Amino acid sequence: MSFDLEVDAERWRRGLRQLVESTPGIVPVVKGNGYGFGRDRLAAEAHDLGLPMITVGTYNEVPGALAAFDGDVMVLTPWRPFFTDVVHDERVIHTLGRVEDVAALASGFDPNARVLLEGETSMARHGLDRHELAAAVAALGDLRLEGFAIHLPMAGSNLVEAESWAAALQTSQLETTTLYLSHLTPAELATLRERRPQLDIRPRIGTTLWLGDLGAMSIHALVLDRHLVARGERIGYRQRPMPRDGFLLIIAGGTSHGIGLEAPKAAAGVAQRGKSLARGGLEAAGFSLSPFTIDGKQRWFAEPPHMQASMIFLPSAVRAPEVGDSVDVAVRFTTATFDAVNLR
Ligand SMILES: *Cc1c(COP(=O)(O)O)cnc(C)c1O
């Protein structure tokens, strides 16, 4: 395979163990593309770490999680009565963020389900307003309340907001002392634990767990082809002229791998475009910077990435890699799909 994630398994797992040991109550988040590793792989790692619960993003991720993991599976997306893929299972914990949803689940859809109530934080994504807590409690019926959850923003200090929800939880009629938290720093978590020893605090962590040690990972994107090009020569789907003499590299890694999903750093305003035109930069000619680095520099797309490969322009002064060589590439792991993930 030619666009692969290589993982130093021992080093990666050492990092996982360290974070789990230093974060009591941790609930690993296993969602989306599985942070580049795939969800099944992460579910297996969570099992090997001896953790009793994972959390997934959506209901369509639940069946796979139940198959790959033998503990509890929490769903981050709040339940809605109009969802058609809800999985009702003794190991599934649903999130509820609207009073009418609490009532609907309790009165018919799944009256004995295990649930979390979620509070709406300054994220303003999902959750109950704190004035609705009493109404939510009143609507619970026979639902089994497993805890309360809040999802905090990543900017700024979240301790004040987390504390005020902790206080709201303790003074409410909610019959739980378990607080699931997203996006609190280790220091903030420690402070919250110290100030609220009565609460069982459960941090839900994805990125800093699975991608906490990027040094344990490397991506191999192989050069599949290499052509000499002359200035003005037209190439690619769009038949654009090449800006100079050089090489055209065809490198494994295209849109299907998540390459090019991020806006490239193209010249934005008129003034900036003018400046880069004066410098003779490729961005002025409408080229975009690629995530591939060759000979120490980030290189330009010769045209927008294709499904499985990218066409990269290299000036002739650069020492061009050979067909079969591996090239450095910066990817965003939450949008990356690798041909293979190799733990060695
Ligand atoms: C995705 C998500 C997380 C995990 O986020 P990371 O930044 O990957 O740790 C936690 N809580 C909620 C509600 C989420 O949607």
Side-chain angles (χ1 to χ4, degrees):
M1 301 274 216
S2 38
F3 190 81
D4 296 353
L5 176 62
E6 303 289 329
V7 186
D8 176 341
E10 206 183 304
R11 177 172 166 175
W12 183 56
R13 290 186 173 131
R14 199 182 317 132
L16 301 182
R17 278 195 305 275
Q18 273 167 8
L19 192 81
V20 166
E21 279 160 19
S22 63
T23 316
I26 188 173
V27 182
V29 176
V30 175
K31 68 180 178 184
N33 69 340
Y35 296 83
F37 295 90
R39 295 195 304 273
D40 285 358
R41 158 99 52 199
L42 299 188
E45 296 294 331
H47 168 89
D48 292 349
L49 288 161
L51 298 170
M53 180 188 289
I54 60 173
T55 179
V56 297
T58 63
Y59 279 103
N60 85 64
E61 296 171 353
V62 172
L66 288 174
F69 184 72
D70 53 8
D72 289 338
V73 175
M74 172 180 287
V75 188
L76 292 170
T77 299
W79 181 86
R80 293 286 184 262
F82 48 80
F83 282 170
T84 54
D85 55 356
V86 173
V87 178
H88 298 287
D89 188 284
E90 188 53 28
R91 289 198 280 135
V92 174
I93 301 170
H94 307 269
T95 298
L96 294 168
R98 301 189 310 162
V99 176
E100 60 261 54
D101 292 344
V102 180
L105 194 63
S107 68
F109 281 92
D110 193 352
N112 300 305
R114 300 167 70 191
V115 300
L116 291 184
L117 291 180
E118 179 173 6
E120 186 193 346
T121 66
S122 56
M123 270 291 287
R125 191 163 82 177
H126 300 301
L128 299 155
D129 182 277
R130 67 188 66 192
H131 302 105
E132 297 176 309
L133 289 184
V137 172
L140 276 171
D142 291 331
L143 292 173
R144 286 174 282 164
L145 185 63
E146 304 265 340
F148 193 77
I150 56 172
H151 182 202
L152 296 157
M154 295 207 245
S157 167
N158 289 315
L159 188 57
V160 172
E161 187 167 12
E163 270 226 89
S164 89
W165 274 106
L169 174 58
Q170 288 189 290
T171 54
S172 74
Q173 303 300 307
L174 287 162
E175 285 177 7
T176 182
T177 50
T178 305
L179 180 59
Y180 290 89
L181 284 159
S182 306
H183 297 141
L184 223 52
T185 64
E188 289 169 336
L189 272 172
T191 307
L192 190 64
R193 281 210 165 92
E194 226 173 82
R195 293 188 188 160
R196 300 276 163 185
Q198 311 84 347
L199 293 182
D200 176 18
I201 290 173
R202 314 285 315 267
R204 302 186 293 192
I205 300 179
T207 305
T208 48
L209 175 63
W210 308 119
L211 301 173
D213 182 9
L214 290 176
M217 287 160 239
S218 60
I219 298 158
H220 288 190
L222 300 188
V223 177
L224 301 176
D225 233 322
R226 187 178 88 169
H227 311 295
L228 279 169
V229 286
R231 177 189 159 93
E233 187 176 335
R234 292 179 179 273
I235 62 99
Y237 283 127
R238 299 174 190 227
Q239 290 293 292
R240 301 183 67 204
M242 290 293 89
R244 293 177 221 158
D245 290 354
F247 296 96
L248 189 63
L249 296 182
I250 319 300
I251 304 179
T255 53
S256 70
H257 301 98
I259 294 292
L261 288 178
E262 276 178 285
K265 289 185 230 98
V270 174
Q272 202 187 335
R273 214 171 155 86
K275 263 187 230 159
S276 74
L277 197 58
R279 280 201 313 266
L282 288 185
E283 70 216 283
F287 287 86
S288 299
L289 215 42
S290 83
F292 297 97
T293 295
I294 295 164
D295 206 13
K297 265 179 117 173
Q298 213 179 335
R299 301 295 169 180
W300 299 87
F301 281 119
E303 77 162 358
H306 302 170
M307 192 86 121
Q308 76 279 17
S310 294
M311 299 181 93
I312 301 297
F313 174 74
L314 269 192
S316 39
V318 177
R319 200 153 42 82
E322 306 284 339
V323 171
D325 283 354
S326 173
V327 162
D328 275 345
V329 55
V331 303
R332 183 173 170 182
F333 280 87
T334 50
T335 56
T337 305
F338 299 101
D339 292 332
V341 178
N342 301 316
L343 274 76
R344 294 182 205 279

